[in-house]
Amino acid sequence: MNLYLLRAAYLVVDYKWTLRGLDSSTKEYQKIKSQLHLRSALRLREMCCTNGGAFIKVGQHVGSLEYLLPVEYVETMKVLHDRAPQSPLSELYKVLEEDLGKKVDEIFTSIDPEPLGAASLAQVHKATTHDGRVVAVKIQHPKVKAHSYIDMKTMEVPKIYWDLSSERVLTMEFCEGGKVDDKKYMDKHGISVNEIARDLGKLYSEMIFVQGYVHCDPHPGNVLVNKDEHGTKIVLLDHGLYLTMTDEFRVNYCKLWVSLIKADLEGIKKYATAMNAGDLHGLFACMVTARSWKAITAGIDKQEITAEEDDEIKQNAAQYLIEISTILNRVPRQMLLILKTNDVLRGIECALKTRANASSFINMSKCCIRAVAIDKLHNCDSWFQSLGVRLLCQWQLFKI
């Protein structure tokens, strides 16, 4: 770990040394700073690729923070979404044969040598079985540490071919589609970018606020979009990282968002405090919404996101780094995965140029209202109380 700290310290020194004494208002300063960003991002990516596993996941997350980080970092790291370091096919064949107990040519008539994607713990290849099924085979990298098998084992997706799967091999239905941030693919196939952004928001609002069971790795390499005779579809891949939220946390998070949308400052303070943000509840609200405090107090559903606000958020992210770290150490562990998921979803919105609007806040509010009503129904002592909760819920939904 000391080596990683040394590398991080080297990046900090490089920034201070390179930019010392330069006038930040000049074009030359901007040019040098951009070169410095790129140089540092390449070093960070190299470190992630060298160490693999969780480091690749960190790199993937950085590549999704388009709304928060300099473009040099985002563009450099986003290749890790589906082009992480690859394992040779010969090594993957050994994993297949060891786990499935057969030679590869006994299992498949063909395997595409070029991977569909290479991720932190595994890579995926298109293959065809002897009975004609076209499948996607996800094979764990041979050098992945033993504890990482959980990422593979906990996957639950439709149409898994269990007879061709093991702890290190997952054979699934092959799904066509383009990456969710690939606007060119959507334009080419007649897919509405706004429709995808809306439906993705609905999907995650339902998971987070109502179901409490959340796919927490929605980086663009894990979310496909396609269109067929039945309409537009969103396909979630890689179901190895899910969060099961406690009811208490989920309801508090719902009420926090209702307060944020209403610009209810007392409510924001109350429910942020319930999540241990305490005296840093204002900064916590900014982290949850990725909006400035000025926008929050004015109403985030009424204030459009501007370039000036984006710049302010980026500057504050650096200025309040210690306070942000304090919040991350205070809040429940569930909140960390929610913040990660929110960041990635915002990165997708930013790439598609469909940042949160009034429509998305309406859908989110509906889910929050339903979730709070369901929680109240569980605590009702009579049918009369239940009727009152249901009527209030319908009235609040009607007003929206």
Side-chain angles (χ1 to χ4, degrees):
M1 185 58 70
N2 289 337
L3 178 60
Y4 308 139
L5 293 175
L6 284 173
R7 289 180 176 178
Y10 179 80
L11 291 180
V12 173
V13 171
D14 193 13
Y15 269 88
K16 290 185 177 295
W17 180 261
T18 302
L19 299 177
R20 76 193 188 289
L22 297 180
D23 185 352
S24 60
S25 64
T26 64
K27 290 184 178 180
E28 182 65 18
Y29 175 88
Q30 297 302 325
K31 179 181 177 181
I32 292 174
K33 187 170 74 169
S34 178
Q35 293 171 345
L36 178 56
H37 285 331
L38 180 59
R39 182 165 73 240
S40 300
L42 289 170
R43 286 177 182 146
L44 180 60
R45 188 176 71 186
E46 181 183 3
M47 184 180 74
C48 290
C49 292
T50 299
N51 292 282
F55 286 86
I56 297 292
K57 288 192 176 295
V58 171
Q60 289 171 340
H61 185 51
V62 171
S64 301
L65 301 180
E66 191 166 350
Y67 75 95
L68 183 62
L69 297 177
V71 66
E72 294 85 356
Y73 277 90
V74 175
E75 292 299 322
T76 300
M77 304 302 287
K78 69 167 44 177
V79 300
L80 297 178
H81 288 157
D82 55 10
R83 282 184 283 164
Q86 299 177 16
S87 293
L89 203 57
S90 58
E91 292 186 11
L92 296 178
Y93 280 3
K94 289 180 182 178
V95 173
L96 276 170
E97 292 174 354
E98 286 173 6
D99 278 37
L100 301 183
K102 296 180 181 178
K103 292 293 183 182
V104 172
D105 56 10
E106 295 179 67
I107 307 169
F108 304 108
T109 58
S110 65
I111 294 183
D112 191 335
E114 286 297 317
L116 296 167
S120 55
L121 303 179
Q123 66 191 56
V124 183
H125 289 260
K126 185 177 181 180
T128 305
T129 63
H130 283 282
D131 57 7
R133 291 174 292 179
V134 179
V135 298
V137 187
K138 185 168 188 177
I139 309 165
Q140 190 179 86
H141 294 303
K143 296 179 182 178
V144 169
K145 292 180 180 179
H147 68 263
S148 296
Y149 80 93
I150 296 173
D151 184 78
M152 302 287 291
K153 190 176 181 182
T154 57
M155 289 183 182
E156 295 181 8
V157 293
K159 296 187 180 178
I160 295 178
Y161 301 111
W162 293 109
D163 58 321
L164 301 177
S165 299
S166 69
E167 287 186 350
R168 297 187 297 170
V169 179
L170 185 67
T171 304
M172 304 167 285
E173 168 194 16
F174 181 79
C175 296
E176 298 280 357
K179 289 168 60 176
V180 72
D181 65 344
D182 189 347
K183 193 172 183 300
K184 289 183 179 178
Y185 174 89
M186 295 187 209
D187 291 340
K188 180 180 178 181
H189 291 82
I191 298 173
S192 168
V193 170
N194 289 327
E195 181 183 355
I196 290 297
R198 181 198 67 206
D199 290 348
L200 190 63
K202 283 183 177 179
L203 175 63
Y204 269 86
S205 288
E206 179 72 21
M207 280 194 284
I208 291 171
F209 298 116
V210 181
Q211 303 301 329
Y213 187 61
V214 189
H215 179 288
C216 289
D217 203 9
H219 69 71
N222 280 346
V223 186
L224 301 181
V225 295
N226 62 45
K227 189 174 185 178
D228 58 21
E229 65 273 15
H230 302 296
T232 302
K233 294 180 181 178
I234 295 175
V235 182
L236 293 181
L237 305 176
D238 199 343
H239 295 256
L241 183 59
Y242 268 80
L243 168 66
T244 302
M245 301 159 68
T246 64
D247 288 339
E248 180 183 9
F249 174 86
R250 180 176 54 82
V251 172
N252 278 334
Y253 189 57
C254 286
K255 291 178 178 178
L256 173 64
W257 262 107
V258 170
S259 300
L260 287 164
I261 293 170
K262 290 181 176 180
D264 174 5
L265 302 188
E266 285 303 313
I268 292 171
K269 181 177 180 180
K270 176 181 179 180
Y271 295 110
T273 300
M275 294 186 177
N276 296 333
D279 57 325
L280 296 174
H281 60 273
L283 180 57
F284 179 62
C286 294
M287 292 169 62
V288 170
T289 59
R291 300 296 302 271
S292 67
W293 182 246
K294 180 180 178 181
I296 290 171
T297 56
I300 54 177
D301 61 334
K302 300 178 180 65
Q303 298 285 312
E304 289 189 4
I305 301 172
T306 63
E308 290 75 18
E309 185 182 354
D310 273 344
D311 289 340
E312 180 185 345
I313 290 170
K314 289 179 182 180
Q315 290 173 9
N316 287 342
Q319 183 178 349
Y320 294 104
L321 190 58
I322 293 175
E323 290 84 356
I324 291 171
S325 298
T326 300
I327 289 174
L328 295 178
N329 282 317
R330 284 184 184 177
V331 297
R333 300 301 92 182
Q334 299 169 81
M335 193 68 234
L336 299 181
L337 280 177
I338 292 295
L339 288 171
K340 172 187 182 296
T341 303
N342 288 347
D343 279 341
V344 178
L345 291 173
R346 287 185 189 116
I348 293 171
E349 290 176 346
C350 188
L352 297 178
K353 296 180 171 52
T354 58
R355 297 285 289 275
N357 53 31
S359 176
S360 64
F361 287 123
I362 288 173
N363 291 326
M364 189 182 295
S365 297
K366 288 180 177 178
C367 284
C368 289
I369 288 169
R370 286 171 49 219
V372 172
I374 291 169
D375 181 66
K376 288 181 178 178
L377 285 171
H378 290 156
N379 298 307
C380 287
D381 296 325
S382 66
W383 69 267
F384 184 74
Q385 282 185 325
S386 297
L387 179 61
V389 170
R390 294 179 191 278
L391 289 174
L392 177 61
C393 177
Q394 291 303 314
W395 172 242
Q396 290 175 324
L397 292 174
F398 174 76
K399 286 196 298 182
I400 291 177

